[in-house]
Amino acid sequence: MASQTGAIVQQSLNALMGDSTFLPNLQEQAREQAFLSLAAILSTPNKVHKAFLRITIDNGNVVRIPAYRIQHNDTLGPYKGGIRFHESVSEDEVTNLAALMTLKNALHEVPFGGGKGGVVINPRTYSAKELYLICKKYVQYFSDVLGPDKDIPAPDMGTGEREMDWMMAEYKSIHPGQPYLGSFTGKSVINGGSLGRREATGKGVYFAFRYMLHDFLKEQRSWLAGSTNPFVQTALAHADRPLSIAVQGFGNVGSVAALEAYKCTYLHNKVVAVSDRNVTLYNPDGLSVPALLEYAALHQGDLPATEAALVALDIKAQILGREEVLYLDVDVLILAALEEQIHKDNVERVKAPIIVEGANAPVTGEADVVLTAKGTIIIPDILANAGGVIVSYFEWLQGRETQFFSEDQVYKMLYDKMQKTLNSILPAYFGDPLPLRQNCYNHAVMKLSTMLYRQGKLY
Ligand code: GLU
């Protein structure tokens, strides 16, 4: 587990250990022993599966591609988490992401454990046929440890419904006669996927931000008014006025979050910047997100990156370097690209007082400390980007019953679930100046610890 996740989990455990009302039957030596067990369980994955997928690429050469499935913890239910295709995938990275899934599911009361998979490739450099073979081989190599009641993968960076359809089909061939709809989530709707799954993460990201900074604050204003908590002051300074928003990443999460912000006209928020792997587009008067989405859909997901392309679209924007999105003078920065985007070497340049983590782990532990000390509100990954796994859970349920929900039902259930979590976290956050990330971890760790204790696992 990366040091940041591990360190925050340990702080949660320290707080729980010192709270005599938590598991009061555990005392003295037994208490110490139980918390040592908890630390050991949560800081290491249950199982690490690694394989070298052997495929014949289009030029006839045979290659071996490293691939992982890491099963972190299954206290709450079957392991659950995406499979990413990216060239920087490593065992450490996937292990940390699997641990984040354990915490995310516990935080939102999704009845799954935490897992994650990865394949070390840049999918843009492989043909569709090669990617198909990689997906098939991934399922063949890991088929014994996957399944609707064992471990349920989903899309992550570099994968989507096409890959999940291929993988589910392979799982079905390997396990004839067994239930297969719940073996993978994030499938296409025609193959048993859920309406709204593709948009779920981005919609949830915008919802978490909107609910916290608008709906919740509006209700709670009276008791927060005199607070000296720096996060309350940051929040109140940004409540009830239009906000400028910059979004890093224009993929499945960033583009949907940007569109939600654009469409949320009653708040008059303005999307002033978006970025992708090539450029940042910036216009302080606001960008037309629908026009950019249309362009990206026709250009393999890329944003227009030349003056000529912008003129043709009738979009006015400055073209800046791709990293510049991080340093703009905006109210809200949504990070929906890769991990470790804000780190110790660039954190001083970040101006946004509100940061929303659409990606997993986009702020390093060192940067987190610097931002938190400034009173920056960081809505952390496990809180903000859980829309994907929440709707994956609905997809899994629908697959079990072969009864499908309407898109409106899915979004209503998604927002209800996220709102319930936010309502259980925000009063403590605004009442006590602990970073939101720590509050969320405390909540998740408390749930996991209680269950492990009641299951007799803390010896
Ligand atoms: N990959 C997504 C995440 O990091 C979704 C996982 C899932 O749907 O299982 O949360």
Side-chain angles (χ1 to χ4, degrees), residues 113-173:
K116 201 81 168 194
V119 179
V120 191
I121 54 163
N122 173 357
R124 286 177 178 265
T125 62
Y126 286 81
S127 68
K129 184 175 160 225
E130 291 165 338
L131 291 171
Y132 171 70
L133 292 174
I134 291 169
C135 288
K136 263 172 79 111
K137 277 287 160 85
Y138 188 95
V139 178
Q140 287 170 16
Y141 278 65
F142 297 124
S143 82
D144 287 351
V145 299
L146 301 177
D149 292 306
K150 287 188 196 167
D151 184 349
I152 308 133
D156 199 83
M157 205 186 291
T159 56
E161 54 187 41
R162 178 181 68 167
E163 287 73 18
M164 296 306 113
D165 286 356
W166 287 337
M167 288 189 176
M168 181 201 71
E170 187 61 16
Y171 180 87
K172 184 179 175 211
S173 313

Side-chain angles (χ1 to χ4, degrees), residues 4-303:
Q4 185 195 10
T5 313
I8 308 176
V9 166
Q10 191 54 55
Q11 282 178 41
S12 297
L13 289 173
N14 294 346
L16 286 177
M17 166 109 176
D19 175 358
S20 55
T21 62
F22 180 69
L23 303 180
N25 294 340
L26 275 176
Q27 286 186 5
E28 295 171 13
Q29 226 193 323
R31 191 169 183 85
E32 237 165 74
Q33 186 57 36
F35 276 86
L36 284 176
S37 292
L38 275 170
I41 292 170
L42 297 179
S43 65
T44 41
N46 285 353
K47 289 176 195 158
V48 174
H49 305 284
K50 178 172 185 181
F52 289 88
L53 313 180
R54 183 167 172 273
I55 68 149
T56 306
I57 53 174
D58 291 347
N59 67 9
N61 287 346
V62 174
V63 293
R64 297 272 259 171
I65 300 171
Y68 301 91
R69 186 70 192 167
I70 297 190
Q71 299 176 321
H72 178 260
N73 189 280
D74 63 349
T75 304
L76 269 84
Y79 301 104
K80 181 90 190 82
I83 300 175
R84 69 171 46 182
F85 284 4
H86 197 273
E87 58 220 321
S88 73
V89 160
S90 68
E91 184 176 324
D92 270 0
E93 181 199 47
V94 183
T95 305
N96 185 49
L97 292 169
L100 285 179
M101 288 309 300
T102 301
L103 296 165
K104 197 185 297 187
N105 289 331
L107 173 64
H108 293 274
E109 312 226 338
V110 173
F112 291 134
K116 201 81 168 194
V119 179
V120 191
I121 54 163
N122 173 357
R124 286 177 178 265
T125 62
Y126 286 81
S127 68
K129 184 175 160 225
E130 291 165 338
L131 291 171
Y132 171 70
L133 292 174
I134 291 169
C135 288
K136 263 172 79 111
K137 277 287 160 85
Y138 188 95
V139 178
Q140 287 170 16
Y141 278 65
F142 297 124
S143 82
D144 287 351
V145 299
L146 301 177
D149 292 306
K150 287 188 196 167
D151 184 349
I152 308 133
D156 199 83
M157 205 186 291
T159 56
E161 54 187 41
R162 178 181 68 167
E163 287 73 18
M164 296 306 113
D165 286 356
W166 287 337
M167 288 189 176
M168 181 201 71
E170 187 61 16
Y171 180 87
K172 184 179 175 211
S173 313
I174 298 172
H175 302 276
Q178 288 181 30
Y180 58 87
L181 278 180
S183 58
F184 288 82
T185 59
K187 307 180 292 293
S188 65
V189 172
I190 190 109
N191 266 316
S194 176
L195 289 166
R197 172 63 183 83
R198 198 186 65 75
E199 296 83 3
T201 311
K203 278 187 176 268
V205 165
Y206 188 72
F207 176 81
F209 152 74
R210 196 201 76 199
Y211 184 77
M212 176 170 163
L213 270 296
H214 180 74
D215 309 77
F216 184 83
L217 276 191
K218 212 163 82 185
E219 297 275 305
Q220 311 291 327
R221 253 202 155 158
S222 46
W223 73 272
L224 291 175
S227 167
T228 53
N229 175 339
F231 304 120
V232 173
Q233 286 170 1
T234 304
L236 290 181
H238 294 86
D240 289 343
R241 68 169 174 85
L243 301 177
S244 57
I245 301 181
V247 185
Q248 186 200 30
F250 206 64
N252 192 26
V253 182
S255 68
V256 175
L259 186 63
E260 287 293 296
Y262 177 88
K263 288 193 316 200
C264 184
T265 43
Y266 74 97
L267 288 186
H268 306 290
N269 290 329
K270 236 186 279 171
V271 179
V272 297
V274 294
S275 79
D276 68 0
R277 65 202 171 100
N278 303 311
V279 281
T280 295
L281 299 177
Y282 176 55
N283 181 346
D285 295 326
L287 292 166
S288 165
V289 178
L292 293 169
L293 270 167
E294 251 174 62
Y295 180 92
L298 298 172
H299 295 85
Q300 282 142 15
D302 289 343
L303 289 167

